Amino acid sequence: MGVATFAVRDAFLTERARAEERLQTRARAMAVLVDREIGRVEALLRTAARSEFLRSGDVRSFLTEAEAVAAELGGAWVGVTERDGTRLLNTFWPDGAPPPGSRGSETASLALAAGRTAVSNLVQDTRGGERTPVIVVAAPVARSGPGGGGAYAVTAAVRVDTLGVVLGELELTQGWVGVVLDGVGTIVARTVRPGDTVGLRARPSVLEALASGHPTGIVHGVRTLEDTLSVVAYARIPRTGYVTLVAVPDEVFAAPLRAALIRTVSIGAVLALAGLLLALATARQLARALGRLVNGPSGTGLSGVREIDAVARRLAATDAERDRAERELRAARDEAVEILESIGDGFYALDADRSVAYVNGRALETFGKPREDLLGRRFDEVFPGAAGSPVTPILHEVASRAEPREFEVDAPLQGRWTAFSAYPRRGGGVSVYFRDVSARRAAEAALRESEEQFRATFEQAAVGIAHVGLDGCWLRVNQRLCEITGYPTDELLRLGFQDITHPDDLDTDLDQVRALVAGELESYRMEKRYLRPDGTPIWVLLTVSLLRPSAADARPYFVSVVEDISELKRAEAARRESERRYRFLAENNPQIVWTARPDGLLDYFNQRWTEVTGLPVEAGTGEGWAAAIYPDDLPRMNAAWAKSLATGEPYAVEHRVRTRDGAWRWFRTQAAALQAADGDIQMWVGTAADIHDEREALEQVRRLNAELEHRVAERTAQLADANAELESFAYSVAHDLRAPLRGMQGFSRALLEDYADALDETGRDYAGRIARGAERLDDLINDLLAYSRLSREEIRPEPVALEGLLADVLRHMDPQIETARTILQLERPLPKVIGQRAVLTQVLMNLLGNAIKFIPPGAEPRVRVWAEHRGGNVRVWVEDNGIGIRPEHCDKIFRVFERLHGQKAYPGTGIGLAIVKKGIERLGGAVGVESELGCGSRFWFELPKEKPDHGHA
């Protein structure tokens, strides 16, 4: 009878614990679903908050995006609120324009103050003319540009019936009620009578139960809105402060427990009571019969006998009934024992004095002792070591406090890690279930080790690795992914992959994600671009798979592997660009371009091959090109080609090709080997140029050269005679002109020196004019002679050091420079040029003289001289701060006798710049000027630079 009693009690406690666990699991699942839905809203708002319109302050242009978010949220109202609470935009009003002075919710202010997403308690929205229960979610907008910060918040008023739809996914058991409470205890969603209850405050008993913070999350005896005592399981949602409840009426909760235990309890109780009552009734009847038989009057004896006989028969029936009851009781006891003997856990029961009341077979196997050595004996007598076991004080605590305990210890008796479930028994005893969990703990240790290895692999991987939620938010990222994307870990975890994906790649990525979630793909792999915080795109190779955990309450997530392929992309782009340019050059080249493999077989011709030969490109590859070669030239070409293939030396040969019209034309074919870093030949690249006209022209040139040499010799002799006559004439003219000039100069000077007093002012002026005119005429004759010599004399170009030459010129012009108080800036070094020293001396003296002479009145001349390299030439500049030249006169001033100013203002012959131009042109160079009137001038001349002399070995 005792065995049946504690078996029933232990079965009841076990069944109740399981029922509570099922209830708690539903509450947690409800919390996960609500948290996921609110997280979805937050993700949409975070994405909207990164709109470029909002970041730039263009709120009105954000309306289209806001309407799209509202549609995604099932008709929610989406708006923008300023920091001071003023509504700037809301999709509820036409064109998104709120009424003047409209104020936003406190949630927007909280989001702006905290700098993160905020969720409100339940509020009643009256904008539609009716009271609509909603929750408000707000995300701050990060402003771009100076100041940054959160100037606006994007808000969404989400109808709470969307949460009711989410709760419907749980399909709670009949009689169970699911409830969502906000942070102040207001009902946000309910699976039963939502229309009547949403917006009401939960009963005080419910709020008191939540405030108690029961560690198991289970509270008994709570009165719900239906005024029903219920068992309540609850779970909290940290993100919002909301709480999810699952309430089950006591009757509904207790029904399966009663059904599980009613058979054993009813049989024992009913039979015991029936037997007791029957025994009492029979004893009283028998006593009356015996009294009548002994003490009654005559005639009553027979009656007493018959009554005794009836009692006897009734006692016989009672014995049969008792036997039947005992059999049923034994059956019930045997059934209880059978249950305890069949379970996988070890079980023993101790009385208040710690003597063993019962022990099952699994416990006997563990203890290694027969049952008779244990029953009725104190546990610590059988097992002396039990007194020091960590199990013993816990069992004492269970018995003394009458509270069940579950714990795991490394138990000495079991010799391994063991899980215990201890329940108090009536009278101070205790019932103990235990099972071996060493394998599980070993598996957990192995799992921890595996997790550590995974964590190390995850964090130290050479590629980016991430776990991503179904909503696109990063759940876990490693350091390498942060390095690739340029975001710190905490900032990346606040974003979704959509936020940093290049807009051109996002649709393709999302299509793959949808196919993966739908089970159409096991995984996918794609190349895409992420955007770093500064907007720089970075190419990655993304591999994604979907992990679906086996646990019922675990949410699926994506595992993403991200490899930085930016360098590879740049290399590919460079290769494609190089190939594109090569193809462009090859196809647009007027020559035939071809390539060959390392073994010498041709594998490419450009289109020019077909244009010349009339043969298709394919016909020329391999060895087909030989069909278009003049037969007598082919052996020579093959021999040269074989030598180049053997040695790697460049290939060059001239030969004839049959053109599409059947004519034979001369071509020059050349090729060079493209080699790898190790010297191996990768390919040959060659060209075939049409030199037919060139060969004919060369032949004609050879013929003409012979004729030309003869003619040149004749003309040279004639020119020498003419030059001699011209030189003689020039000097004769100069001599004949200078004789009277010398007389004019002498007599005018005598008049001014000897007879100045005899002459009046006019006479002295006339005499001075005669002297100056004669002097100018003499200068003119000298310049004409110099100009004439430049045209006639032989020019032999040679290297000339400009620095040394300029130094000599400056020494010669030193009086003129000093007189004019010239500021001269010479920028060294000045290179060597190919020219003639005498000619360059005239050029520099004329350019420097003009720079000093042609300045505004009262100004000090500033002259700068420098040189610069231009390809194979040197350009020498002479810059002044003079009066300048009109652009239309810049060419005119290099002509003979061309003057832009009167003789009185700027005296001169008008031949100096003509000498400069003639001299430079005779040296094979060029001359020019850059100037504007009143802004000075920059004269330049350009000559070939001296070529470096590499000497001889």
Side-chain angles (χ1 to χ4, degrees), residues 851-874:
I852 295 171
K853 179 170 62 175
F854 290 98
I855 62 170
E860 290 185 350
R862 294 180 179 270
V863 181
R864 176 181 170 225
V865 181
W866 78 97
E868 61 185 19
H869 293 274
R870 293 202 169 204
N873 295 336
V874 173

Side-chain angles (χ1 to χ4, degrees), residues 615-639:
L615 301 174
V617 168
E618 297 77 11
T621 57
E623 295 181 349
W625 56 273
I629 304 301
Y630 194 75
D632 293 347
D633 298 340
L634 197 56
R636 178 167 47 84
M637 293 181 66
N638 287 334

Side-chain angles (χ1 to χ4, degrees), residues 403-420:
E403 292 180 355
R405 285 283 301 276
E406 293 187 357
F407 56 95
E408 293 183 4
V409 295
D410 189 1
L413 290 180
Q414 286 78 3
R416 55 181 62 88
W417 276 93
T418 306
F420 290 87

